[in-house]
Amino acid sequence: MSETPLLQIENLTQHFPVRGRGHKVVHAVDGVSFAIGRGRTLGLVGESGCGKSTCARSIIRIYEPTSGHVRLDGQDITRLSQKQLLPLRRKMQMIFQDPYASLNGRMTVRALIGEPLRAHGAAESRRDEEDRILRMLEKVGLTREHAGRYPHEFSGGQRQRVGIARALILRPELVICDEPISALDVSIQAQIVNMLRDFQQELGLSYLFIAHDLSMVRYISDEVGVMYMGQLVEHSPAEDIYAHPLHPYTQGLLASIPVPDPSLARLQDEEGLSGDLPSPIDPPPGCRFHTRCPHATGCCREEAPALRNVGGGHAVACHLV
Ligand code: SF4
């Protein structure tokens, strides 16, 4: 019998009402399903506004999902009250894109990292709390001397290390990484990804790793999901999606990754994505990508393609595949 995935998302939908527009809603997430096994990483990618961060926030219940189910360790947590959810929050933590905005600038690093321990009554004593904070600081590549400092005294990479220490101090099982490296210099991005991979091996963590660009999730993902306008349009083992991208949107995203070779860059200009995202208040009928797809046919404008398994765990939502 196969093991229950640590996280299972079924038909997750998140609509937000639009003020002053009657029954109109923003279709931020529309029927997304996926699962993440223990010790595994799913990379979730798509342009800004495609719904990936909303999906993350709905999973962790920062937003209350409109419909669908979120199961953690087999338990449906979708309709639990915030009080019932509290003990489960220890198992799922989040790392944010902008560690400066997500860290209270008036708290020292010691207080910031210790806050989750106190909120969950997880430390046995003040001494235990201090030991755990200092050990965690060293694990994320900072020093004991940093404990008394404030977020503004750190670089962006160091602040993200504080954010990671805060997320990991409770020894969670699932960590949702919401664009954790997008705001960092390229040289620092690799350090942070390597550190997250080391923690995964040491602690058996599962990651939902969100990024807007396929290059950022390549070295950390076991599987990759591609979102477009609130829907999952392709989902596959990581190596397969880079070798054989099937959805025209995924192909466009891959072609948009910057490359140093000018001859390849010219080729990319011809194949990369063009056009803007349509409004999520009135998504296009049929395939939502048809307004930007170079292969769209009449059928694409009328009928929405379902996400179908095409073999080897590779699923795609496109009439032409
Ligand atoms: Fe393009 Fe049609 Fe496929 Fe949509 S269904 S991605 S419009 S070919």
PDB file of all heavy atoms in Angstrom, residues 20 23 25 33 71 127 207 216 286:
ATOM      1  N   GLY A  20     -17.863  46.557  -5.331  1.00  0.00           N
ATOM      2  CA  GLY A  20     -18.570  47.416  -6.280  1.00  0.00           C
ATOM      3  C   GLY A  20     -18.833  46.765  -7.624  1.00  0.00           C
ATOM      4  O   GLY A  20     -19.237  47.435  -8.578  1.00  0.00           O
ATOM      5  N   HIS A  23     -21.689  40.471  -8.378  1.00  0.00           N
ATOM      6  CA  HIS A  23     -21.245  39.118  -8.030  1.00  0.00           C
ATOM      7  C   HIS A  23     -19.901  38.760  -8.647  1.00  0.00           C
ATOM      8  O   HIS A  23     -19.503  37.605  -8.629  1.00  0.00           O
ATOM      9  CB  HIS A  23     -22.311  38.100  -8.468  1.00  0.00           C
ATOM     10  CG  HIS A  23     -23.618  38.276  -7.744  1.00  0.00           C
ATOM     11  ND1 HIS A  23     -23.706  38.126  -6.375  1.00  0.00           N
ATOM     12  CD2 HIS A  23     -24.846  38.623  -8.178  1.00  0.00           C
ATOM     13  CE1 HIS A  23     -24.960  38.363  -5.998  1.00  0.00           C
ATOM     14  NE2 HIS A  23     -25.663  38.671  -7.074  1.00  0.00           N
ATOM     15  N   VAL A  25     -16.059  38.076  -9.209  1.00  0.00           N
ATOM     16  CA  VAL A  25     -14.993  37.635  -8.290  1.00  0.00           C
ATOM     17  C   VAL A  25     -13.668  37.564  -9.050  1.00  0.00           C
ATOM     18  O   VAL A  25     -13.643  37.411 -10.271  1.00  0.00           O
ATOM     19  CB  VAL A  25     -15.283  36.232  -7.686  1.00  0.00           C
ATOM     20  CG1 VAL A  25     -16.480  36.250  -6.779  1.00  0.00           C
ATOM     21  CG2 VAL A  25     -15.421  35.174  -8.777  1.00  0.00           C
ATOM     22  N   SER A  33      -5.197  20.771  -7.907  1.00  0.00           N
ATOM     23  CA  SER A  33      -4.965  19.533  -7.138  1.00  0.00           C
ATOM     24  C   SER A  33      -3.517  19.088  -7.305  1.00  0.00           C
ATOM     25  O   SER A  33      -2.987  19.139  -8.409  1.00  0.00           O
ATOM     26  CB  SER A  33      -5.858  18.389  -7.656  1.00  0.00           C
ATOM     27  OG  SER A  33      -7.217  18.740  -7.578  1.00  0.00           O
ATOM     28  N   ARG A  71      -5.401  18.395   2.797  1.00  0.00           N
ATOM     29  CA  ARG A  71      -5.169  17.331   3.790  1.00  0.00           C
ATOM     30  C   ARG A  71      -3.709  17.339   4.189  1.00  0.00           C
ATOM     31  O   ARG A  71      -2.830  17.312   3.333  1.00  0.00           O
ATOM     32  CB  ARG A  71      -5.533  15.955   3.220  1.00  0.00           C
ATOM     33  CG  ARG A  71      -7.009  15.796   3.019  1.00  0.00           C
ATOM     34  CD  ARG A  71      -7.423  14.344   2.767  1.00  0.00           C
ATOM     35  NE  ARG A  71      -8.870  14.283   2.732  1.00  0.00           N
ATOM     36  CZ  ARG A  71      -9.601  14.590   1.654  1.00  0.00           C
ATOM     37  NH1 ARG A  71      -8.998  14.928   0.534  1.00  0.00           N
ATOM     38  NH2 ARG A  71     -10.914  14.546   1.693  1.00  0.00           N
ATOM     39  N   ARG A 127      16.268  28.634  29.481  1.00  0.00           N
ATOM     40  CA  ARG A 127      17.590  28.155  29.077  1.00  0.00           C
ATOM     41  C   ARG A 127      17.509  27.315  27.796  1.00  0.00           C
ATOM     42  O   ARG A 127      18.287  27.490  26.858  1.00  0.00           O
ATOM     43  CB  ARG A 127      18.163  27.319  30.233  1.00  0.00           C
ATOM     44  CG  ARG A 127      19.560  26.777  30.027  1.00  0.00           C
ATOM     45  CD  ARG A 127      20.506  27.943  29.869  1.00  0.00           C
ATOM     46  NE  ARG A 127      21.759  27.500  29.310  1.00  0.00           N
ATOM     47  CZ  ARG A 127      22.839  27.285  30.028  1.00  0.00           C
ATOM     48  NH1 ARG A 127      22.820  27.473  31.320  1.00  0.00           N
ATOM     49  NH2 ARG A 127      23.961  26.883  29.447  1.00  0.00           N
ATOM     50  N   TYR A 207       8.932  20.327   0.875  1.00  0.00           N
ATOM     51  CA  TYR A 207       8.822  21.733   0.485  1.00  0.00           C
ATOM     52  C   TYR A 207       7.796  21.927  -0.624  1.00  0.00           C
ATOM     53  O   TYR A 207       7.752  21.140  -1.580  1.00  0.00           O
ATOM     54  CB  TYR A 207      10.137  22.257  -0.086  1.00  0.00           C
ATOM     55  CG  TYR A 207      11.289  22.420   0.878  1.00  0.00           C
ATOM     56  CD1 TYR A 207      12.558  21.979   0.535  1.00  0.00           C
ATOM     57  CD2 TYR A 207      11.124  23.051   2.104  1.00  0.00           C
ATOM     58  CE1 TYR A 207      13.651  22.142   1.389  1.00  0.00           C
ATOM     59  CE2 TYR A 207      12.199  23.221   2.972  1.00  0.00           C
ATOM     60  CZ  TYR A 207      13.459  22.767   2.606  1.00  0.00           C
ATOM     61  OH  TYR A 207      14.506  22.934   3.456  1.00  0.00           O
ATOM     62  N   MET A 216      14.693  28.803 -11.234  1.00  0.00           N
ATOM     63  CA  MET A 216      14.890  28.889  -9.778  1.00  0.00           C
ATOM     64  C   MET A 216      14.506  27.611  -9.049  1.00  0.00           C
ATOM     65  O   MET A 216      14.945  27.381  -7.929  1.00  0.00           O
ATOM     66  CB  MET A 216      14.060  30.040  -9.212  1.00  0.00           C
ATOM     67  CG  MET A 216      14.602  31.375  -9.595  1.00  0.00           C
ATOM     68  SD  MET A 216      13.730  32.653  -8.718  1.00  0.00           S
ATOM     69  CE  MET A 216      14.389  34.105  -9.508  1.00  0.00           C
ATOM     70  N   GLY A 286     -12.916  28.828 -22.606  1.00  0.00           N
ATOM     71  CA  GLY A 286     -12.103  27.763 -23.192  1.00  0.00           C
ATOM     72  C   GLY A 286     -10.776  27.663 -22.464  1.00  0.00           C
ATOM     73  O   GLY A 286     -10.711  27.810 -21.237  1.00  0.00           O
TER      74      GLY A 286
END
